[in-house]
Amino acid sequence: MTAQIIDGKALAEELRQGFKARVEALTAKGHKPGLVVILVGADPASEVYVRNKVNGCLAIGMHSEKITYDATVDQVTVLNKIAELNADPNIHGILVQLPLPKHFDEEAVLEAIAADKDVDGFHAENVGALAQGNPRFIPCTPYGVMKMFEKGNVDLTGKEAVVIGRSNIVGKPMALLLINAGATVTVCNSRTKDLKFHTSRADILVAAVGKPKFVTGDMVKPGAVVIDVGINRLPDGKLCGDVDFASCLEVAGQITPVPGGVGPMTITMLLANTIEAAERKAALAD
Ligand code: NAP
């Protein structure tokens, strides 16, 4: 059996085209969606992510700007900027690129962003709303994965779903979304005993581990939907996921590639969250 490939790049493009009309309608009413991305330090990977986020906004007619600080900047300066942006009526989304330098209290910075502008969905208020099954902003990567299930007509109800990884950015919100969708969910971590026991009974397997080619074909249930969230840089400079694509392709029913899978969906859902934030604000103003 050769799995069907879930094309994240094509789905991302389709969604982005669909966003343009919503951006135009908002702009015409004086609510052009605006996203600010704050970058502290000069991590090359973060710089690429931030550039792609800003360009993604501009390409569909949104407003977007990047604010950069030297890695030595003090936390108060960044908190003051966030307070200023919270009060700016032209800005609907604020995102602080993670990770922050070690002298920062990451949680304090994320909590400083107004919950109704927290388009990354990391504020405790938004995490709580998601846990209660009534999300306001869904973290972009798992949100993108849910869109892929939707597009692929993957019915999650009653399915065995296994998520490898329990980070606040991917694993935990992914598990909550799967629970909310009616799946039976297992979340694995580095201490999990007999990982293969769990993965090999998963109808839906999501890998968010950060280890190249970690999930191999022998760990996958025949016909499973395999979602590879991982982005790893190999010594030769090439990107690869947490899933060994070649061996899993032969076993899975559906599978996402890297690159061209979950990655393009993440920024797309950031655009979606920012547009939703602007639509909510416009509705309040009407
Ligand atoms: P993270 O914070 O490092 O979390 C990794 C998780 O994997 C942890 O919960 C860890 O368990 C678990 N883990 C590590 N080794 C394991 C093992 N041997 N068995 C089972 N679980 C194990 O990483 P993250 O931020 O969630 O990101 C995960 C991957 O996704 C990375 O490759 C990252 O680059 C990628 N990513 C991609 C996107 C995208 O847009 N596609 C977005 C975000 C992240 P413990 O908690 O016990 O340590």
Side-chain angles (χ1 to χ4, degrees):
M1 176 187 213
T2 299
Q4 184 190 332
I5 294 171
I6 305 174
D7 187 343
K9 200 171 166 208
L11 176 57
E13 189 48 40
E14 184 188 320
L15 290 171
R16 289 184 200 206
Q17 289 306 322
F19 292 162
K20 284 184 179 168
R22 289 164 70 190
V23 172
E24 261 173 40
L26 282 162
T27 306
K29 285 202 283 179
H31 298 283
K32 183 174 189 159
L35 173 75
V36 170
V37 185
I38 297 176
L39 175 64
V40 182
D43 173 61
S46 292
E47 279 182 346
V48 173
Y49 291 141
V50 168
R51 192 168 60 236
N52 288 343
K53 287 169 185 176
V54 171
N55 288 343
C57 288
L58 299 177
I60 59 165
M62 291 167 59
H63 167 75
S64 186
E65 56 192 281
K66 171 178 86 163
I67 298 175
T68 44
Y69 292 103
D70 194 83
T72 57
V73 71
D74 61 301
Q75 181 164 309
V76 173
T77 303
V78 175
L79 290 179
N80 286 341
K81 176 52 75 177
I82 291 173
E84 196 186 296
L85 295 167
N86 283 342
D88 186 339
N90 295 317
I91 299 304
H92 305 91
I94 304 166
L95 181 158
V96 176
Q97 185 67 36
L98 301 177
L100 285 165
K102 287 203 167 32
H103 64 281
F104 274 80
D105 175 351
E106 209 162 89
E107 202 183 315
V109 172
L110 294 179
E111 292 305 299
I113 297 171
D116 61 354
K117 296 190 178 188
D118 167 42
V119 285
D120 249 345
F122 297 157
H123 191 288
E125 223 176 271
N126 290 319
V127 176
L130 173 62
Q132 286 179 331
N134 190 20
R136 293 178 204 142
F137 289 116
I138 300 172
C140 303
T141 301
Y143 193 4
V145 174
M146 294 304 283
K147 283 282 168 198
M148 290 171 123
F149 291 141
E150 200 181 297
K151 176 74 180 174
N153 292 317
V154 178
D155 180 12
L156 298 166
T157 319
K159 295 282 164 57
E160 288 288 336
V162 172
V163 180
I164 318 176
R166 56 172 166 174
S167 71
N168 290 334
I169 295 173
V170 188
K172 273 187 212 156
M174 187 74 253
L176 287 171
L177 287 164
L178 289 163
I179 290 169
N180 293 345
T184 303
V185 182
T186 303
V187 185
C188 300
N189 60 64
S190 63
R191 313 284 176 89
T192 298
K193 290 180 183 130
D194 199 353
L195 184 67
K196 190 174 166 183
F197 164 78
H198 296 286
T199 60
S200 57
R201 57 180 183 76
D203 302 308
I204 311 289
L205 180 60
V206 181
V209 195
K211 294 188 172 164
K213 303 185 183 185
F214 180 77
V215 175
T216 45
D218 60 314
M219 297 166 71
V220 173
K221 179 177 173 179
V225 179
V226 178
I227 304 291
D228 189 355
V229 176
I231 301 178
N232 307 290
R233 181 85 53 193
L234 294 172
D236 66 3
K238 285 192 182 144
L239 284 185
C240 92
D242 291 344
V243 169
D244 177 39
F245 188 76
S247 63
C248 292
L249 184 69
E250 298 309 316
V251 188
Q254 294 186 57
I255 189 167
T256 63
V258 177
V262 176
M265 290 300 292
T266 296
I267 294 182
T268 302
M269 301 327 290
L270 173 67
L271 306 181
N273 278 344
T274 308
I275 295 168
E276 275 171 41
E279 285 173 343
R280 280 177 213 156
K281 182 164 173 261
L284 286 176
D286 281 349

